[in-house]
Amino acid sequence: MDTALRPAATPRRRPGRASDERSRNPMSYAFIALYAVLTVAFGILPALYALYLAFTDAEGGFAGVGNFTKVVGDFRFMPAVGHVALYLAIWLVALVVLVTLLAIVVHAVAVRWVSSTLRLIFYLPGALAGASSVLLWLFVLDPAAGPIGGLLHLLGFDSFVEVIVPANLPPIFAVIAFWTGAGGWIVIMYGALNNISADVIEAARMDGAGRIQIAWRIQLPLLRKWISYMGIMSLAAGTQLFVEPQLLSQASNAIVPNDYSLNQLAYQYAFQQNDFNGAAAISLLLLAIALALSAVFVLRGGLFEKD
């Protein structure tokens, strides 16, 4: 056959060339630049300023660890640590167990419209702002007027004041946080479950695995990184507990103390005692605790491991 009649060979494109061209799209740089500006303005610079305040005194002189020893020695500090720690323990366990379980159950529903409806119902509470959800729960937790008043009476609570005593607040705050934030995580976990290869699930079924075995031996291990990510983000939010106890303190005429959480205590230092150095020290302690606990999730969850 005459080689002159053969069509010219199409030049072979270098693998990854299209993705490289897309990555050089100017619009991507615009989005990154905007994010970088916001991160520097509202993240890095405030953190550096807090670091400066934490190691200086009111006159700007070097204070060493004096601000840290002062706030740790405050009689309000350790109770606030205990309140936040108990709240976090209840909330994180509920998130890891219930969110994962509910996501697997919703994913297992075969009827498409039922699954979509459940995801919408789970997500709706998250549309409420934090302050709005607390105000709603102020009504719910009132035995005299709330929709669960009968249950509260059975549990021995006859008034709103009895419900919100400080000893009851960690589980109450955990319920509020779960009700507000769990739905969004269920939707995210549902998306992660959709990324699991259908061939893997089908192979497990052919080997005789039931729904529980598939969930335990296939879905849960493949969700490990997403569970770790959920734990880190929820931990970061949970250590910043402020709105819920602050509103309850105002609504209860100070039955709930205004230094219940570490964030509230930092607020008291800054705006009641005019001690911004002590407030900065508390903020850095919170950051150190959150980073240390997040490291546990990263290491145990293999967040940065390559599959």
Side-chain angles (χ1 to χ4, degrees), residues 83 99 103 142 146 166 201 209 217 228 237 256 286 288 291-292 295-297 305:
H83 297 154
V99 165
D142 188 350
I201 303 297
R217 297 184 179 275
S228 175
V256 177
L286 269 176
L291 289 176
V296 175
F297 280 97
E305 293 178 0

Side-chain angles (χ1 to χ4, degrees), residues 86-295:
L86 184 56
Y87 155 69
L88 281 175
I90 298 172
W91 184 33
L92 290 177
V93 170
L95 274 179
V96 171
V97 175
L98 296 180
V99 165
T100 307
L101 176 62
L102 288 172
I104 291 175
V105 169
V106 173
H107 188 266
V109 175
V111 183
R112 185 182 181 88
W113 71 267
V114 174
S115 176
S116 301
T117 303
L118 287 175
R119 279 180 283 154
L120 177 62
I121 292 173
F122 286 138
Y123 182 75
L124 282 177
L128 288 174
S132 301
S133 65
V134 176
L135 293 176
L136 174 62
W137 278 91
L138 290 178
F139 166 70
V140 172
L141 294 174
D142 188 350
I148 60 171
L151 176 61
L152 293 174
H153 284 298
L154 287 176
L155 295 175
F157 301 113
D158 296 321
S159 66
F160 179 70
V161 172
E162 293 178 356
V163 174
I164 62 168
V165 295
N168 297 336
L169 291 181
I172 289 176
F173 291 151
V175 169
I176 295 174
F178 184 86
W179 181 81
T180 304
W185 286 114
I186 291 173
V187 174
I188 292 174
M189 291 291 179
Y190 181 91
L193 287 168
N194 281 337
N195 286 329
I196 298 176
S197 173
D199 295 337
V200 175
I201 303 297
E202 186 61 29
R205 289 198 183 102
M206 293 180 65
D207 288 339
R211 290 184 180 272
I212 296 179
Q213 289 177 312
I214 290 174
W216 184 256
R217 297 184 179 275
I218 297 177
Q219 291 175 321
L220 278 179
L222 293 177
L223 283 177
R224 186 179 63 154
K225 291 185 179 181
W226 290 98
I227 294 173
S228 175
Y229 176 69
M230 177 178 66
I232 292 172
M233 299 301 294
S234 302
L235 181 64
T239 53
Q240 306 301 316
L241 182 66
F242 179 81
V243 174
E244 293 85 351
Q246 189 73 7
L247 287 179
L248 280 181
S249 178
Q250 297 173 2
S252 64
N253 294 324
I255 292 176
V256 177
N258 56 11
D259 51 14
Y260 179 85
S261 71
L262 288 171
N263 246 357
Q264 284 183 291
L265 182 57
Y267 182 87
Q268 293 297 315
Y269 263 92
F271 299 106
Q272 298 297 324
Q273 302 172 209
N274 200 29
D275 185 354
F276 288 93
N277 305 92
I282 294 176
S283 70
L284 288 185
L285 288 173
L286 269 176
L287 176 62
I289 293 171
L291 289 176
L293 294 176
S294 297

